[in-house]
Amino acid sequence: MVIEKVGAARLSPQQVWKVVSRASFAVLSHVTPTGAPRSSGVVYAVSGGSMYVAVAPDSWKARHIGADGIVAVTVPVRRGGLLSLMLPIPPATISFAGVATLHPGDQLAGMPELVRLVPPARRSDATIVEIRPIGHFVTYGVDVPLRQMRDPAQARARTASI
């Protein structure tokens, strides 16, 4: 196994989490009970030190995540402003491992940030996935000039999670 050295932290964990809280889309990855990898795009809300996702109680996400609770999350962070409309500028990313806990959907009512992301027809029948970051945030292209994104050594950073 090769361990790749990741650049020094440029942002504090709180600053990274602030960037995560401004976005609303992430790729959530996990493994099935048989060990097969799965990932899917999700919309989320952040409250305190956790990320929250609403899923159907009988969905494969709820079943698989509930089996062991270990997930990986990647949040794409849009870069480039108006320039990105003319040139193909890849998003920056924030990735982290997390521990996921399933909660009944009745907790959705107390989470206005998340309730607005869930269609009204699904609000009465939802499972809430709470994801708490563990380990480190690994960022690529966050808080670096666009030109530095071409150089992985300058674009990567790692900081302890919150």
Side-chain angles (χ1 to χ4, degrees):
M1 174 192 281
V2 175
I3 304 295
E4 187 175 310
K5 184 177 180 183
V6 178
R10 283 181 281 279
L11 298 172
S12 71
Q14 292 76 19
Q15 290 170 311
V16 173
W17 197 243
K18 187 174 183 178
V19 174
V20 170
S21 69
R22 288 184 187 146
S24 63
F25 175 81
V27 177
L28 177 62
S29 302
H30 61 280
V31 295
T32 68
T34 60
R38 295 286 183 264
S39 65
S40 59
V42 295
V43 291
Y44 68 87
V46 169
S47 181
S50 294
M51 174 183 280
Y52 295 89
V53 176
V55 300
D58 60 344
S59 69
W60 54 265
K61 279 185 251 185
R63 290 191 310 266
H64 296 172
I65 291 170
D68 78 354
I70 303 300
V71 297
V73 177
T74 298
V75 178
V77 179
R78 189 168 178 264
R79 295 281 316 247
L82 292 176
L83 187 59
S84 67
L85 298 174
M86 298 181 300
L87 299 170
I89 298 173
T93 58
I94 298 171
S95 299
F96 60 91
V99 174
T101 307
L102 301 181
H103 301 286
D106 58 4
Q107 293 187 5
L108 188 62
M111 305 175 73
E113 303 90 358
L114 185 58
V115 87
R116 67 182 173 80
L117 299 174
V118 179
R122 290 187 46 217
R123 290 180 186 161
S124 63
D125 185 33
T127 293
I128 307 303
V129 181
E130 176 185 6
I131 303 165
R132 288 174 284 110
I134 57 173
H136 290 86
F137 292 121
V138 176
T139 64
Y140 192 92
V142 177
D143 198 41
V144 299
L146 285 174
R147 289 184 182 181
Q148 287 184 1
M149 285 182 73
R150 289 187 265 170
D151 180 358
Q154 292 182 27
R156 283 189 308 244
R158 180 182 177 117
T159 187
S161 63
I162 54 174

